[in-house]
Amino acid sequence: MSRRTLAESYEKIPTHIFPNSGAAAKALAAEVKALIEERAKEGKNVVLGMATGSTPVPFYRELIRLHKEEGLSFKNVITFNLDEYYGLTGDHPESYACFMREQIFDHIDIPKANINIPSGTVPGDQVFAHCREYEEKIDAAGGIDFQILGIGRTGHIGFNEPGSSRDSLTRRITLDRVTRQDAAADFRGEENVPHFAITMGVGTILRGKKLVLMAWGENKAEMVAKAVEGPVTEAISASFLQDHPDARFCIDEGASRELTRVKLPWLVGPVSWTPRETRRAVCWQAFKTNRPVLKLTDEHYNEHGLSDLLSEQGPAYQLNIRIFNQLQHTITGWPGGKPNEDDTYRPERATPYPKRVLVFSPEPQDAIVAMGSTIERLVEQGHDVRIVALTSGSLRISDSEADKFAGTLQELAGVVEDSPAWQSQVAYAREVLKQLEDKGEFGEDTPMLRQLKGLILRGELRDAAHACNVGTDHVTFLGLPFYEQGRYRRFKSTEADIEALTSLLREHKPHQIYATGDAADPSSVSGICFKLLESSLKACHKEEWAGSASLWLYRGKEKPLAAHEIDMAVPLSPMQLERKARALSRYGSLSSLELSSPESNRQNASHYDALGLAEYEAIETFQRWSRV
Ligand code: F6R
């Protein structure tokens, strides 16, 4: 069987892996353009099924570009959106109606009458009729020709949460807890996320003639693999696409990582045994058989489809020792390099010493969460460590924290003796409280509120950095403009961002850089920050410092690095882990995922232990970033 056929035997939905979301969006938009133009020539309409969320944003941007630069007209296009939050009016900033206007409809020439989105405000006793009419309208338009889909962490398409049946139609649904958690940042807190939505059903979606599900970033990888390779099940509504004659997945490399052909390529066909693939296979073999690397035998490799590797690099005894040594050499208590020591087998070079180290944190908590103990060690070992918060992170801070601050300020003015001198502070506090009240629970933060919330987070980072022995003068707040002007899922970076970052790099000329976001959804804050950093480094690549700087990636909100992906493992003692947890406690706004970072550090250690390496309490992990 050819490689493709073997892959297909695992993948029950045709799946195209693109190098990045931009390339996928371009290809899909070109396909839609061709369809629209072909129908226009015939004097016919096209019916498009639209999705919201982060995923379709690059696709919509490309459609807008095609309209503006290549004259693509949407006059013959009718659209039906998949879903809408129940309880939000169409002008609520987080409603999907508002999202669609901002992201596409306001920028193209589609007739307003051709746009259909379920209503979020239809009274409870009319929901059923409204949903039935939505179905009828789709049929009356001739059915959906081209349906765009995203996939949620529950495996939902539209808002068809686990349990949705294959034949379900448009209806009101209760949102899953995971879905509400994922929307928490948009709504400034999980408590503000609506509990219900109106969504097209699985059956409605499957009536579409052509279905394309897009997914970007590693956080989608697990669900993509389950939907594409697993059984068809109500527990993952995207898996129903397996039953459709013209459905496909268009994903980026990050979202492809759990597919068998990517994760276990030797099961699918011949593999080019690069050092990384070899390490992957050996670690997989060890975990699968529950044996440390040094106890794997030729039989283990042969029985699990790795005879190829064995004949190229075996026998097992030698292969095991080689990989064991490689893994062993990733472990270092000297993340900045050990001065005056042979560094042949160390992850980081010994010279120069001390190093100028820049630790980039997309939002002010990311770096401490992922590498607080490594930061502490770098400082302890004499390096000049600077934490750079790339954005203010103001959108993470809830109204109640701003309210608490203003309330305290007012109270303070009431108890200090020299109260006339506090008049301006009192006026400030009053204004903050008034603006909070005026905007209401879901309203947009005013610049004054954003500034205050940013300052609250600044204080938290300073505090947490201090707990890692980084002084206030070594914490930089860059406040990249893209963040200040946007909202989650709708950020747009510009040259101004690259310029700010480039001049910071030129000012500090780092020997070592830590960053994150390479595996993230490209529209997330860390995804955008990573791209910006890549561009800035490219702009400086001819400068001497840039050519020799070592670059390390850490994982923030994304899946932790797997054992074979780790190039540097910094072990933590129980005391160090405790200190890290203390540093994290300085933040008032960490998500449950972020708070569980010490636990994930412990898991890294238990993976290394299982591979037969020394048993540590916890480990922070890094991957070498191949040069841009
Ligand atoms: C939105 C929708 C959802 C999203 C999914 C992924 O209209 O139907 O199924 O596509 O929740 O959301 P993002 O793209 O924000 O990761």
Side-chain angles (χ1 to χ4, degrees), residues 550-566:
S550 51
L551 311 171
W552 292 98
L553 296 167
Y554 64 87
R555 287 283 160 86
K557 296 177 194 72
E558 301 75 42
K559 224 170 146 242
L561 291 169
H564 72 275
E565 293 174 314
I566 297 168

Side-chain angles (χ1 to χ4, degrees), residues 225-504:
K226 283 186 175 158
V228 171
E229 298 188 356
V232 176
T233 163
E234 284 183 1
I236 298 173
S237 63
S239 68
F240 286 114
L241 265 56
Q242 293 182 18
D243 291 340
H244 191 279
D246 192 357
R248 80 193 119 114
F249 274 41
C250 290
I251 62 179
D252 68 357
E253 285 176 358
S256 77
R257 289 202 188 166
E258 294 292 318
L259 291 176
T260 304
R261 71 166 130 153
V262 177
K263 197 180 174 187
L264 310 172
W266 49 90
L267 298 183
V268 173
V271 172
S272 126
W273 291 109
T274 60
R276 182 81 74 200
E277 283 307 307
T278 308
R279 237 205 274 177
R280 184 206 291 267
V282 175
C283 292
W284 172 76
Q285 182 66 77
F287 290 131
K288 189 170 173 68
T289 52
N290 220 352
R291 290 184 151 244
V293 169
L294 293 176
K295 284 195 182 174
L296 295 172
T297 61
D298 286 355
E299 286 70 38
H300 288 123
Y301 287 101
N302 282 329
E303 280 164 20
H304 294 101
L306 288 167
S307 51
D308 217 26
L309 172 64
L310 210 55
S311 70
E312 205 176 289
Q313 303 194 27
Y317 172 75
Q318 273 170 8
L319 175 60
N320 294 346
I321 290 187
R322 201 156 46 76
I323 297 303
F324 180 85
N325 284 338
Q326 279 179 20
L327 291 165
Q328 178 72 32
H329 293 150
T330 64
I331 302 174
T332 182
W334 296 83
K338 190 166 187 182
N340 309 317
E341 288 276 337
D342 176 10
D343 58 8
T344 318
Y345 296 113
R346 291 179 180 278
E348 181 57 270
R349 65 206 196 283
T351 55
Y353 177 83
K355 290 188 173 62
R356 282 188 301 273
V357 181
L358 286 187
V359 178
F360 287 106
S361 191
E363 287 180 331
Q365 75 291 352
D366 294 323
I368 305 283
V369 168
M371 54 174 290
S373 286
T374 303
I375 291 174
E376 194 191 354
R377 252 182 210 238
L378 286 163
V379 176
E380 196 181 282
Q381 291 166 359
H383 300 288
D384 179 37
V385 183
R386 177 170 295 277
I387 303 175
V388 182
L390 291 167
T391 71
S392 74
S394 63
L395 294 170
R396 296 177 56 88
I397 301 290
S398 67
D399 285 356
S400 62
E401 288 190 60
D403 187 276
K404 190 167 75 185
F405 174 84
T408 310
L409 196 56
Q410 258 190 340
E411 287 221 0
L412 192 60
V415 294
V416 287
E417 297 203 342
D418 184 19
S419 61
W422 281 75
Q423 281 322 302
S424 56
Q425 283 89 334
V426 172
Y428 176 83
R430 241 187 242 131
E431 184 57 28
V432 166
L433 293 171
K434 179 176 173 306
Q435 290 190 12
L436 281 170
E437 196 173 322
D438 287 353
K439 87 181 177 74
E441 217 174 5
F442 298 128
E444 199 71 353
D445 281 346
T446 59
M448 185 179 183
L449 291 177
R450 272 188 94 138
Q451 185 192 45
L452 172 59
K453 289 180 171 185
L455 289 175
I456 291 173
L457 202 43
R458 262 188 200 219
E460 291 178 356
L461 171 57
R462 265 196 232 106
D463 237 17
H466 185 70
C468 299
N469 288 333
V470 177
T472 304
D473 57 338
H474 274 62
V475 182
T476 299
F477 296 93
L478 202 56
L480 287 178
F482 86 85
Y483 186 91
E484 294 313 313
Q485 288 140 22
R487 293 218 309 273
Y488 286 116
R489 299 172 203 257
R490 308 175 201 191
F491 296 116
K492 259 191 185 153
S493 57
T494 65
E495 274 304 309
D497 297 296
I498 299 178
E499 274 164 28
L501 208 43
T502 311
S503 67
L504 178 113

Side-chain angles (χ1 to χ4, degrees), residues 51-56 82-83 96 150-152 156-159 220 489:
T52 51
S54 311
T55 308
L82 282 164
D83 40 21
Y96 285 165
I151 183 169
H156 68 212
I157 46 174
F159 272 139
K220 296 286 169 81
R489 299 172 203 257

Side-chain angles (χ1 to χ4, degrees), residues 50-57 60 81-85 96 99-100 147-161 179 182 186 199 205 213-216 220 237 489 521 523:
M50 311 293 259
T52 51
S54 311
T55 308
V57 169
Y60 292 153
N81 264 79
L82 282 164
D83 40 21
E84 177 61 285
Y85 287 113
Y96 285 165
F99 179 95
M100 291 303 290
Q147 175 71 57
I148 287 299
L149 298 164
I151 183 169
R153 267 206 303 147
T154 59
H156 68 212
I157 46 174
F159 272 139
N160 290 285
E161 300 292 20
T179 301
D182 286 348
D186 311 330
T199 180
I205 294 168
L213 188 147
M214 302 187 265
W216 326 128
K220 296 286 169 81
S237 63
R489 299 172 203 257
D521 175 339
S523 66

Side-chain angles (χ1 to χ4, degrees), residues 590-607:
L590 292 190
S591 67
S592 48
L593 186 78
E594 288 163 334
L595 283 169
S596 68
S597 143
E599 199 34 54
S600 144
N601 297 153
R602 274 206 185 93
Q603 266 171 26
N604 295 334
S606 73
H607 290 153

Side-chain angles (χ1 to χ4, degrees), residues 50-113:
M50 311 293 259
T52 51
S54 311
T55 308
V57 169
F59 169 70
Y60 292 153
R61 286 195 184 144
E62 178 61 11
L63 285 182
I64 295 170
R65 192 195 67 76
L66 290 174
H67 170 67
K68 296 207 162 133
E69 293 176 17
E70 296 185 22
L72 173 64
S73 170
F74 291 79
K75 287 248 157 68
N76 65 328
V77 174
I78 298 174
T79 61
F80 286 89
N81 264 79
L82 282 164
D83 40 21
E84 177 61 285
Y85 287 113
Y86 187 69
L88 302 193
T89 60
D91 52 11
H92 185 292
E94 290 307 328
S95 72
Y96 285 165
C98 179
F99 179 95
M100 291 303 290
R101 283 196 302 275
E102 275 182 19
Q103 293 303 310
I104 179 154
F105 293 149
D106 281 355
H107 311 283
I108 57 175
D109 62 344
I110 184 167
K112 278 209 166 55

